[in-house]
């Protein structure tokens, strides 16, 4: 259930704690020294990154991703809803038999959470929660700052390990810390995985898609091309509008851990609302 601390969450928090301790008290202290200006500056920056990572991770874990109100009913005459998502078979409005209510646009039923989630992207086992309308930015910011923290730690690892090896060669000592090896084994695949995940979600944001909509769009594009039509994602408003819809109305708050979401998650602007002159190419 959402909000429960599960084993994958314990793994994530343990990895964060271990990397933080190793980066500060092994890498920085062993190479630059925490009492030096360079060491203190790197420790302060890495600590700030770690705090943002933990805070955004907590928001992604505990924040409700978006619940469909029981009173929701699609208004086919609503001026702000030019399109309505329908079932592939039959063409009826999307209705969740398990939740016994209509599905708003971009909402999907999560079999793990056992309910419908607004603008559902996917269910993530590492946060024991769905990534949806209300916590998508927190999840994205967590990954973004996680990448920066990992790269920072990786640079410190390389520098500190090189310094330690150089000292060992000069003094014929064998003091190379096993923590370097453990940190490298943990840090390298984690950095690569987070970079790939961040790149994937940047790609989705630029097109205003969710992971579910991407896979649905692949099939829709294939069907459209089969009959000679061109498929266009209906929620693609152009790069800037797409970024603003996910990250917030103010560009100065795009990288802030917390910001107000645009809209309620029940209705979304579509490409049909955008003038042709501003249509994405």
């Amino acid at each position: 259930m959402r909000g429960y601390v599960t084993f994958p969450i314990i793994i994530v928090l343990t990895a964060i704690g271990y990397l933080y301790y190793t980066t500060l008290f092994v890498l920085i202290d062993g190479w630059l020294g925490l009492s030096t200006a360079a060491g203190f500056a790197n420790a302060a920056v890495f600590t700030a990154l770690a705090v943002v990572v933990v805070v955004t991770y907590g928001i992604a874990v505990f924040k409700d991703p978006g619940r469909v109100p029981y009173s929701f009913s699609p208004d086919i005459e609503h001026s702000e809803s030019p399109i309505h998502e329908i079932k592939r078979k039959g063409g009826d409005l999307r209705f969740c038999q398990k939740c016994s209510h209509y599905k708003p646009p971009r909402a999907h039923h999560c079999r793990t959470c056992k309910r419908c989630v607004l603008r559902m992207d996917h269910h993530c086992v590492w946060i024991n929660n769905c990534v949806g309308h209300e916590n998508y930015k927190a999840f994205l910011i967590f990954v973004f700052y996680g990448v920066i923290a990992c790269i920072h730690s990786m640079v410190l690892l390389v520098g500190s390990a090189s310094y330690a090896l150089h000292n060992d060669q000069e003094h014929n000592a064998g003091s190379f810390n096993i923590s370097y090896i453990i940190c490298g084994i943990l840090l390298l695949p984690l950095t690569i995985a987070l970079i790939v995940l961040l790149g994937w979600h940047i790609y989705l944001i630029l097109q205003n898609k969710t992971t579910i909509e991407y896979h649905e769009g692949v099939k829709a594009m294939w069907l459209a091309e089969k009959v000679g039509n061109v498929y266009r994602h209906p929620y693609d408003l152009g790069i800037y509008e797409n970024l603003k819809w996910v990250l917030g109305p103010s560009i100065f708050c795009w990288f802030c851990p917390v910001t107000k979401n645009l809209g309620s998650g029940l209705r979304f602007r579509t490409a049909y609302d955008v003038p042709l002159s501003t249509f994405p190419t």
Side-chain angles (χ1 to χ4, degrees):
M1 295 179 64
R2 182 183 63 81
Y4 278 69
V5 177
T6 57
F7 185 64
I9 292 177
I10 294 175
I11 292 176
V12 172
L13 294 176
T14 302
I16 293 174
Y18 177 80
L19 289 175
Y20 177 76
Y21 175 85
T22 305
T23 300
L24 257 67
F25 300 106
V26 177
L27 306 184
I28 297 178
D29 194 30
W31 179 26
L32 303 171
L34 290 173
S35 59
T36 65
F40 178 80
N42 275 279
V45 170
F46 193 78
T47 298
L49 288 172
V51 169
V52 174
V53 166
V54 171
V55 169
T56 51
Y57 181 71
I59 295 173
V61 169
F62 293 106
K63 190 174 181 62
D64 194 306
R67 187 179 297 272
V68 180
Y70 289 105
S71 60
F72 173 78
S73 179
D75 185 357
I76 59 175
E77 297 181 354
H78 198 287
S79 59
E80 295 182 4
S81 302
I83 66 170
H84 293 274
E85 295 179 354
I86 59 176
K87 296 180 180 180
R88 292 193 184 96
K89 296 180 179 180
D92 299 327
L93 291 173
R94 297 164 66 236
F95 185 85
C96 182
Q97 299 292 343
K98 296 179 180 179
C99 297
S100 300
H101 60 57
Y102 285 100
K103 294 181 184 179
R106 316 183 80 175
H108 295 274
H109 186 87
C110 176
R111 290 176 294 180
T112 305
C113 296
K114 294 180 172 56
R115 66 184 181 89
C116 289
V117 176
L118 297 178
R119 196 187 180 274
M120 180 178 173
D121 186 89
H122 69 288
H123 182 89
C124 180
V125 66
W126 297 106
I127 65 173
N128 189 34
N129 197 6
C130 278
V131 178
H133 177 70
E134 296 292 336
N135 67 346
Y136 183 81
K137 183 182 176 180
F139 175 81
L140 182 70
I141 294 298
F142 160 69
V143 176
F144 174 75
Y145 283 107
V147 168
I148 296 177
C150 284
I151 293 175
H152 188 187
S153 184
M154 184 72 73
V155 171
L156 292 170
L157 173 63
V158 173
S160 183
S162 300
Y163 177 78
L165 286 173
H166 181 69
N167 278 356
D168 283 353
Q169 290 174 356
E170 282 189 347
H171 300 92
N172 294 320
S175 60
F176 189 77
N177 200 321
I178 191 65
S179 297
Y180 292 116
I181 299 175
I182 298 175
C183 186
I185 292 174
L186 178 62
L187 197 56
L188 182 60
L190 179 62
T191 303
I192 294 174
L194 288 177
I195 288 175
V196 171
L197 183 61
L198 179 63
W200 168 248
H201 281 282
I202 290 175
Y203 167 78
L204 292 177
I205 289 173
L206 293 179
Q207 302 186 55
N208 201 355
K209 290 181 180 179
T210 64
T211 299
I212 294 175
E213 288 169 351
Y214 168 81
H215 292 293
E216 290 179 340
V218 170
K219 184 175 181 179
M221 186 180 299
W222 178 79
L223 292 173
E225 291 178 351
K226 191 175 181 180
V227 296
N229 296 329
V230 177
Y231 172 79
R232 186 184 296 276
H233 183 58
Y235 302 106
D236 187 354
L237 307 175
I239 292 177
Y240 176 70
E241 290 295 326
N242 293 343
L243 288 169
K244 189 171 71 172
W245 189 264
V246 174
L247 300 177
S250 174
I251 192 173
F252 300 105
C253 297
W254 281 3
F255 300 101
C256 295
V258 180
T259 188
K260 185 178 180 181
N261 289 319
L262 283 179
S264 62
L266 299 176
R267 295 182 176 87
F268 298 89
R269 286 186 62 200
T270 69
Y272 303 103
D273 304 322
V274 181
L276 292 176
S277 59
T278 62
F279 226 76
T281 58

